[in-house]
Amino acid sequence: MTTPPALKLVREGATPLPRVRELDWSILMARAQDGDANAYRRLLESITPYLRAHAARCHRNPSDVEDAVQDILLTLHAVRATYDPARPFGPWLTAIARRRLIDRLRRQGRRRSFETEFEPTHETFADPPANLEDMTRIHEIAAALDRLPSGQREAVRLTKIEGLSLKEASAVSGTSVAALKVATHRAVRRLRLFFSRGSET
């Protein structure tokens, strides 16, 4: 698959940071690492417009932009302890944002390669029984997911529904890659048993 042109927009240095702002962010992050919740809140509020501008270079849809910003903020929260206050904050933040945006664009590209453009002939509303059957299946899947232990349910949501890699899911959830592998494997096995036997084991 060729690299989408949008990937060029998240290269190093695409959005330079004013030095004063970057220094403020470094100070706020250092305070946040020491447990200052107010400094952490101020930091997140201050970096959000920067991240939004960064994301807008890659996404045209406003909802995609906001989803991307939330994705970056979640990742930042998960890895905040890795920031070294002795080093500049800007490159650290930009690297996280760039990786998350590239990952999102790649996932979207993979998804779109399996999608076809919607046409009026694709509508299925003319056959109510077929749609009701699909809705029943969706409710069965939702019910089966609800019966999973919380750890397994979260592992399935992150890796199978949201399509995150194990490494990404680990960063978001704070769970180790090994634990996520085990939880996902057990969840899939339980779901298969549920649908093959009509009940959980």
Side-chain angles (χ1 to χ4, degrees), residues 20-46:
V20 174
R21 177 181 291 181
E22 186 179 345
L23 179 61
D24 288 344
W25 289 351
S26 295
I27 293 169
L28 289 172
M29 186 59 166
R31 289 177 180 169
Q33 286 179 323
D34 288 336
D36 187 336
N38 185 50
Y40 192 41
R41 179 186 56 77
R42 286 169 53 204
L43 173 68
L44 296 181
E45 287 174 353
S46 182

PDB file of all heavy atoms in Angstrom, residues 20-46:
ATOM      1  N   VAL A  20       8.997  29.676  24.590  1.00  0.00           N
ATOM      2  CA  VAL A  20       8.412  30.026  25.888  1.00  0.00           C
ATOM      3  C   VAL A  20       7.312  29.042  26.250  1.00  0.00           C
ATOM      4  O   VAL A  20       7.249  28.539  27.376  1.00  0.00           O
ATOM      5  CB  VAL A  20       7.864  31.470  25.864  1.00  0.00           C
ATOM      6  CG1 VAL A  20       7.117  31.764  27.166  1.00  0.00           C
ATOM      7  CG2 VAL A  20       8.981  32.460  25.655  1.00  0.00           C
ATOM      8  N   ARG A  21       6.460  28.726  25.285  1.00  0.00           N
ATOM      9  CA  ARG A  21       5.365  27.786  25.548  1.00  0.00           C
ATOM     10  C   ARG A  21       5.913  26.413  25.896  1.00  0.00           C
ATOM     11  O   ARG A  21       5.437  25.757  26.807  1.00  0.00           O
ATOM     12  CB  ARG A  21       4.437  27.692  24.339  1.00  0.00           C
ATOM     13  CG  ARG A  21       3.323  26.669  24.531  1.00  0.00           C
ATOM     14  CD  ARG A  21       2.431  26.575  23.327  1.00  0.00           C
ATOM     15  NE  ARG A  21       1.642  27.773  23.158  1.00  0.00           N
ATOM     16  CZ  ARG A  21       0.747  27.942  22.173  1.00  0.00           C
ATOM     17  NH1 ARG A  21       0.580  27.002  21.276  1.00  0.00           N
ATOM     18  NH2 ARG A  21       0.049  29.040  22.084  1.00  0.00           N
ATOM     19  N   GLU A  22       6.926  25.984  25.155  1.00  0.00           N
ATOM     20  CA  GLU A  22       7.499  24.665  25.412  1.00  0.00           C
ATOM     21  C   GLU A  22       8.101  24.597  26.812  1.00  0.00           C
ATOM     22  O   GLU A  22       7.981  23.596  27.512  1.00  0.00           O
ATOM     23  CB  GLU A  22       8.573  24.343  24.369  1.00  0.00           C
ATOM     24  CG  GLU A  22       9.096  22.929  24.486  1.00  0.00           C
ATOM     25  CD  GLU A  22      10.135  22.603  23.436  1.00  0.00           C
ATOM     26  OE1 GLU A  22      10.253  23.354  22.450  1.00  0.00           O
ATOM     27  OE2 GLU A  22      10.832  21.593  23.611  1.00  0.00           O
ATOM     28  N   LEU A  23       8.739  25.680  27.246  1.00  0.00           N
ATOM     29  CA  LEU A  23       9.302  25.724  28.599  1.00  0.00           C
ATOM     30  C   LEU A  23       8.188  25.633  29.638  1.00  0.00           C
ATOM     31  O   LEU A  23       8.303  24.901  30.627  1.00  0.00           O
ATOM     32  CB  LEU A  23      10.109  27.013  28.792  1.00  0.00           C
ATOM     33  CG  LEU A  23      10.738  27.206  30.176  1.00  0.00           C
ATOM     34  CD1 LEU A  23      11.717  26.076  30.481  1.00  0.00           C
ATOM     35  CD2 LEU A  23      11.440  28.560  30.250  1.00  0.00           C
ATOM     36  N   ASP A  24       7.094  26.370  29.408  1.00  0.00           N
ATOM     37  CA  ASP A  24       5.944  26.296  30.321  1.00  0.00           C
ATOM     38  C   ASP A  24       5.415  24.873  30.405  1.00  0.00           C
ATOM     39  O   ASP A  24       5.099  24.380  31.485  1.00  0.00           O
ATOM     40  CB  ASP A  24       4.821  27.233  29.850  1.00  0.00           C
ATOM     41  CG  ASP A  24       5.157  28.703  30.064  1.00  0.00           C
ATOM     42  OD1 ASP A  24       6.096  28.979  30.828  1.00  0.00           O
ATOM     43  OD2 ASP A  24       4.478  29.554  29.462  1.00  0.00           O
ATOM     44  N   TRP A  25       5.310  24.208  29.240  1.00  0.00           N
ATOM     45  CA  TRP A  25       4.790  22.845  29.220  1.00  0.00           C
ATOM     46  C   TRP A  25       5.730  21.898  29.966  1.00  0.00           C
ATOM     47  O   TRP A  25       5.275  21.004  30.668  1.00  0.00           O
ATOM     48  CB  TRP A  25       4.592  22.381  27.786  1.00  0.00           C
ATOM     49  CG  TRP A  25       3.451  23.064  27.080  1.00  0.00           C
ATOM     50  CD1 TRP A  25       2.508  23.899  27.649  1.00  0.00           C
ATOM     51  CD2 TRP A  25       3.131  22.992  25.692  1.00  0.00           C
ATOM     52  NE1 TRP A  25       1.631  24.338  26.692  1.00  0.00           N
ATOM     53  CE2 TRP A  25       1.986  23.803  25.480  1.00  0.00           C
ATOM     54  CE3 TRP A  25       3.694  22.335  24.610  1.00  0.00           C
ATOM     55  CZ2 TRP A  25       1.386  23.959  24.224  1.00  0.00           C
ATOM     56  CZ3 TRP A  25       3.114  22.487  23.360  1.00  0.00           C
ATOM     57  CH2 TRP A  25       1.971  23.288  23.175  1.00  0.00           C
ATOM     58  N   SER A  26       7.015  22.100  29.805  1.00  0.00           N
ATOM     59  CA  SER A  26       7.994  21.257  30.513  1.00  0.00           C
ATOM     60  C   SER A  26       7.832  21.401  32.024  1.00  0.00           C
ATOM     61  O   SER A  26       7.848  20.412  32.765  1.00  0.00           O
ATOM     62  CB  SER A  26       9.418  21.646  30.111  1.00  0.00           C
ATOM     63  OG  SER A  26       9.648  21.381  28.751  1.00  0.00           O
ATOM     64  N   ILE A  27       7.658  22.643  32.471  1.00  0.00           N
ATOM     65  CA  ILE A  27       7.488  22.902  33.909  1.00  0.00           C
ATOM     66  C   ILE A  27       6.201  22.269  34.416  1.00  0.00           C
ATOM     67  O   ILE A  27       6.185  21.609  35.465  1.00  0.00           O
ATOM     68  CB  ILE A  27       7.502  24.427  34.187  1.00  0.00           C
ATOM     69  CG1 ILE A  27       8.887  24.999  33.896  1.00  0.00           C
ATOM     70  CG2 ILE A  27       7.080  24.717  35.624  1.00  0.00           C
ATOM     71  CD1 ILE A  27       8.934  26.520  33.878  1.00  0.00           C
ATOM     72  N   LEU A  28       5.107  22.454  33.659  1.00  0.00           N
ATOM     73  CA  LEU A  28       3.817  21.882  34.065  1.00  0.00           C
ATOM     74  C   LEU A  28       3.885  20.361  34.117  1.00  0.00           C
ATOM     75  O   LEU A  28       3.348  19.734  35.034  1.00  0.00           O
ATOM     76  CB  LEU A  28       2.712  22.336  33.110  1.00  0.00           C
ATOM     77  CG  LEU A  28       2.304  23.804  33.200  1.00  0.00           C
ATOM     78  CD1 LEU A  28       1.344  24.170  32.064  1.00  0.00           C
ATOM     79  CD2 LEU A  28       1.649  24.107  34.558  1.00  0.00           C
ATOM     80  N   MET A  29       4.562  19.751  33.139  1.00  0.00           N
ATOM     81  CA  MET A  29       4.654  18.294  33.106  1.00  0.00           C
ATOM     82  C   MET A  29       5.465  17.782  34.294  1.00  0.00           C
ATOM     83  O   MET A  29       5.112  16.773  34.917  1.00  0.00           O
ATOM     84  CB  MET A  29       5.278  17.827  31.791  1.00  0.00           C
ATOM     85  CG  MET A  29       5.284  16.323  31.620  1.00  0.00           C
ATOM     86  SD  MET A  29       3.595  15.637  31.672  1.00  0.00           S
ATOM     87  CE  MET A  29       3.898  14.002  31.036  1.00  0.00           C
ATOM     88  N   ALA A  30       6.557  18.481  34.606  1.00  0.00           N
ATOM     89  CA  ALA A  30       7.374  18.081  35.753  1.00  0.00           C
ATOM     90  C   ALA A  30       6.560  18.161  37.041  1.00  0.00           C
ATOM     91  O   ALA A  30       6.622  17.268  37.893  1.00  0.00           O
ATOM     92  CB  ALA A  30       8.616  18.964  35.850  1.00  0.00           C
ATOM     93  N   ARG A  31       5.758  19.208  37.184  1.00  0.00           N
ATOM     94  CA  ARG A  31       4.908  19.342  38.368  1.00  0.00           C
ATOM     95  C   ARG A  31       3.833  18.253  38.393  1.00  0.00           C
ATOM     96  O   ARG A  31       3.506  17.714  39.449  1.00  0.00           O
ATOM     97  CB  ARG A  31       4.251  20.723  38.393  1.00  0.00           C
ATOM     98  CG  ARG A  31       5.219  21.860  38.692  1.00  0.00           C
ATOM     99  CD  ARG A  31       4.521  23.199  38.618  1.00  0.00           C
ATOM    100  NE  ARG A  31       5.441  24.290  38.893  1.00  0.00           N
ATOM    101  CZ  ARG A  31       5.145  25.574  38.698  1.00  0.00           C
ATOM    102  NH1 ARG A  31       3.951  25.917  38.222  1.00  0.00           N
ATOM    103  NH2 ARG A  31       6.040  26.515  38.972  1.00  0.00           N
ATOM    104  N   ALA A  32       3.299  17.952  37.201  1.00  0.00           N
ATOM    105  CA  ALA A  32       2.273  16.900  37.120  1.00  0.00           C
ATOM    106  C   ALA A  32       2.847  15.557  37.539  1.00  0.00           C
ATOM    107  O   ALA A  32       2.177  14.767  38.213  1.00  0.00           O
ATOM    108  CB  ALA A  32       1.718  16.820  35.699  1.00  0.00           C
ATOM    109  N   GLN A  33       4.093  15.289  37.155  1.00  0.00           N
ATOM    110  CA  GLN A  33       4.729  14.031  37.551  1.00  0.00           C
ATOM    111  C   GLN A  33       4.924  13.950  39.062  1.00  0.00           C
ATOM    112  O   GLN A  33       4.988  12.860  39.620  1.00  0.00           O
ATOM    113  CB  GLN A  33       6.085  13.884  36.840  1.00  0.00           C
ATOM    114  CG  GLN A  33       5.955  13.549  35.373  1.00  0.00           C
ATOM    115  CD  GLN A  33       7.312  13.446  34.694  1.00  0.00           C
ATOM    116  OE1 GLN A  33       8.227  14.207  34.997  1.00  0.00           O
ATOM    117  NE2 GLN A  33       7.444  12.510  33.768  1.00  0.00           N
ATOM    118  N   ASP A  34       4.984  15.125  39.704  1.00  0.00           N
ATOM    119  CA  ASP A  34       5.121  15.164  41.170  1.00  0.00           C
ATOM    120  C   ASP A  34       3.767  15.121  41.865  1.00  0.00           C
ATOM    121  O   ASP A  34       3.688  15.250  43.085  1.00  0.00           O
ATOM    122  CB  ASP A  34       5.873  16.436  41.598  1.00  0.00           C
ATOM    123  CG  ASP A  34       7.350  16.364  41.255  1.00  0.00           C
ATOM    124  OD1 ASP A  34       7.868  15.234  41.133  1.00  0.00           O
ATOM    125  OD2 ASP A  34       7.980  17.424  41.110  1.00  0.00           O
ATOM    126  N   GLY A  35       2.696  14.957  41.084  1.00  0.00           N
ATOM    127  CA  GLY A  35       1.365  14.807  41.676  1.00  0.00           C
ATOM    128  C   GLY A  35       0.522  16.062  41.700  1.00  0.00           C
ATOM    129  O   GLY A  35      -0.536  16.086  42.331  1.00  0.00           O
ATOM    130  N   ASP A  36       0.947  17.118  41.015  1.00  0.00           N
ATOM    131  CA  ASP A  36       0.189  18.368  40.977  1.00  0.00           C
ATOM    132  C   ASP A  36      -0.930  18.241  39.939  1.00  0.00           C
ATOM    133  O   ASP A  36      -0.703  18.419  38.734  1.00  0.00           O
ATOM    134  CB  ASP A  36       1.120  19.530  40.637  1.00  0.00           C
ATOM    135  CG  ASP A  36       0.440  20.896  40.741  1.00  0.00           C
ATOM    136  OD1 ASP A  36      -0.795  20.954  40.633  1.00  0.00           O
ATOM    137  OD2 ASP A  36       1.165  21.896  40.921  1.00  0.00           O
ATOM    138  N   ALA A  37      -2.136  17.948  40.399  1.00  0.00           N
ATOM    139  CA  ALA A  37      -3.274  17.730  39.493  1.00  0.00           C
ATOM    140  C   ALA A  37      -3.644  19.003  38.745  1.00  0.00           C
ATOM    141  O   ALA A  37      -4.048  18.955  37.575  1.00  0.00           O
ATOM    142  CB  ALA A  37      -4.480  17.214  40.275  1.00  0.00           C
ATOM    143  N   ASN A  38      -3.525  20.152  39.401  1.00  0.00           N
ATOM    144  CA  ASN A  38      -3.863  21.410  38.754  1.00  0.00           C
ATOM    145  C   ASN A  38      -2.900  21.702  37.604  1.00  0.00           C
ATOM    146  O   ASN A  38      -3.310  22.152  36.532  1.00  0.00           O
ATOM    147  CB  ASN A  38      -3.824  22.559  39.768  1.00  0.00           C
ATOM    148  CG  ASN A  38      -4.285  23.870  39.163  1.00  0.00           C
ATOM    149  OD1 ASN A  38      -5.331  23.955  38.534  1.00  0.00           O
ATOM    150  ND2 ASN A  38      -3.484  24.912  39.340  1.00  0.00           N
ATOM    151  N   ALA A  39      -1.614  21.432  37.814  1.00  0.00           N
ATOM    152  CA  ALA A  39      -0.626  21.629  36.749  1.00  0.00           C
ATOM    153  C   ALA A  39      -0.908  20.691  35.573  1.00  0.00           C
ATOM    154  O   ALA A  39      -0.785  21.084  34.407  1.00  0.00           O
ATOM    155  CB  ALA A  39       0.782  21.378  37.288  1.00  0.00           C
ATOM    156  N   TYR A  40      -1.325  19.464  35.882  1.00  0.00           N
ATOM    157  CA  TYR A  40      -1.634  18.493  34.825  1.00  0.00           C
ATOM    158  C   TYR A  40      -2.833  18.957  34.010  1.00  0.00           C
ATOM    159  O   TYR A  40      -2.828  18.905  32.777  1.00  0.00           O
ATOM    160  CB  TYR A  40      -1.896  17.131  35.459  1.00  0.00           C
ATOM    161  CG  TYR A  40      -1.941  15.988  34.471  1.00  0.00           C
ATOM    162  CD1 TYR A  40      -1.044  15.895  33.420  1.00  0.00           C
ATOM    163  CD2 TYR A  40      -2.893  14.972  34.600  1.00  0.00           C
ATOM    164  CE1 TYR A  40      -1.082  14.845  32.526  1.00  0.00           C
ATOM    165  CE2 TYR A  40      -2.940  13.919  33.709  1.00  0.00           C
ATOM    166  CZ  TYR A  40      -2.027  13.862  32.671  1.00  0.00           C
ATOM    167  OH  TYR A  40      -2.075  12.827  31.781  1.00  0.00           O
ATOM    168  N   ARG A  41      -3.863  19.457  34.705  1.00  0.00           N
ATOM    169  CA  ARG A  41      -5.053  19.969  34.010  1.00  0.00           C
ATOM    170  C   ARG A  41      -4.681  21.144  33.108  1.00  0.00           C
ATOM    171  O   ARG A  41      -5.101  21.205  31.947  1.00  0.00           O
ATOM    172  CB  ARG A  41      -6.113  20.390  35.034  1.00  0.00           C
ATOM    173  CG  ARG A  41      -7.385  20.968  34.399  1.00  0.00           C
ATOM    174  CD  ARG A  41      -8.338  21.501  35.464  1.00  0.00           C
ATOM    175  NE  ARG A  41      -7.700  22.495  36.315  1.00  0.00           N
ATOM    176  CZ  ARG A  41      -7.480  23.761  35.954  1.00  0.00           C
ATOM    177  NH1 ARG A  41      -7.828  24.178  34.753  1.00  0.00           N
ATOM    178  NH2 ARG A  41      -6.911  24.600  36.793  1.00  0.00           N
ATOM    179  N   ARG A  42      -3.869  22.068  33.634  1.00  0.00           N
ATOM    180  CA  ARG A  42      -3.453  23.225  32.840  1.00  0.00           C
ATOM    181  C   ARG A  42      -2.625  22.796  31.633  1.00  0.00           C
ATOM    182  O   ARG A  42      -2.754  23.360  30.537  1.00  0.00           O
ATOM    183  CB  ARG A  42      -2.653  24.199  33.710  1.00  0.00           C
ATOM    184  CG  ARG A  42      -3.523  24.982  34.693  1.00  0.00           C
ATOM    185  CD  ARG A  42      -2.681  25.735  35.717  1.00  0.00           C
ATOM    186  NE  ARG A  42      -1.675  26.583  35.077  1.00  0.00           N
ATOM    187  CZ  ARG A  42      -0.552  26.971  35.666  1.00  0.00           C
ATOM    188  NH1 ARG A  42      -0.265  26.570  36.900  1.00  0.00           N
ATOM    189  NH2 ARG A  42       0.297  27.757  35.028  1.00  0.00           N
ATOM    190  N   LEU A  43      -1.776  21.795  31.825  1.00  0.00           N
ATOM    191  CA  LEU A  43      -0.975  21.287  30.716  1.00  0.00           C
ATOM    192  C   LEU A  43      -1.862  20.730  29.609  1.00  0.00           C
ATOM    193  O   LEU A  43      -1.705  21.069  28.436  1.00  0.00           O
ATOM    194  CB  LEU A  43      -0.023  20.195  31.213  1.00  0.00           C
ATOM    195  CG  LEU A  43       0.757  19.454  30.119  1.00  0.00           C
ATOM    196  CD1 LEU A  43       1.777  20.373  29.457  1.00  0.00           C
ATOM    197  CD2 LEU A  43       1.442  18.210  30.690  1.00  0.00           C
ATOM    198  N   LEU A  44      -2.818  19.869  29.985  1.00  0.00           N
ATOM    199  CA  LEU A  44      -3.693  19.257  28.985  1.00  0.00           C
ATOM    200  C   LEU A  44      -4.520  20.307  28.248  1.00  0.00           C
ATOM    201  O   LEU A  44      -4.708  20.225  27.035  1.00  0.00           O
ATOM    202  CB  LEU A  44      -4.613  18.224  29.654  1.00  0.00           C
ATOM    203  CG  LEU A  44      -3.903  17.013  30.285  1.00  0.00           C
ATOM    204  CD1 LEU A  44      -4.917  16.057  30.889  1.00  0.00           C
ATOM    205  CD2 LEU A  44      -3.025  16.289  29.269  1.00  0.00           C
ATOM    206  N   GLU A  45      -5.012  21.298  28.997  1.00  0.00           N
ATOM    207  CA  GLU A  45      -5.788  22.367  28.361  1.00  0.00           C
ATOM    208  C   GLU A  45      -4.923  23.177  27.398  1.00  0.00           C
ATOM    209  O   GLU A  45      -5.384  23.604  26.343  1.00  0.00           O
ATOM    210  CB  GLU A  45      -6.370  23.300  29.432  1.00  0.00           C
ATOM    211  CG  GLU A  45      -7.512  22.685  30.218  1.00  0.00           C
ATOM    212  CD  GLU A  45      -7.976  23.574  31.370  1.00  0.00           C
ATOM    213  OE1 GLU A  45      -7.315  24.615  31.627  1.00  0.00           O
ATOM    214  OE2 GLU A  45      -8.986  23.240  32.011  1.00  0.00           O
ATOM    215  N   SER A  46      -3.664  23.370  27.752  1.00  0.00           N
ATOM    216  CA  SER A  46      -2.771  24.187  26.931  1.00  0.00           C
ATOM    217  C   SER A  46      -2.309  23.463  25.671  1.00  0.00           C
ATOM    218  O   SER A  46      -2.181  24.077  24.606  1.00  0.00           O
ATOM    219  CB  SER A  46      -1.554  24.601  27.769  1.00  0.00           C
ATOM    220  OG  SER A  46      -0.698  25.420  27.017  1.00  0.00           O
TER     221      SER A  46
END
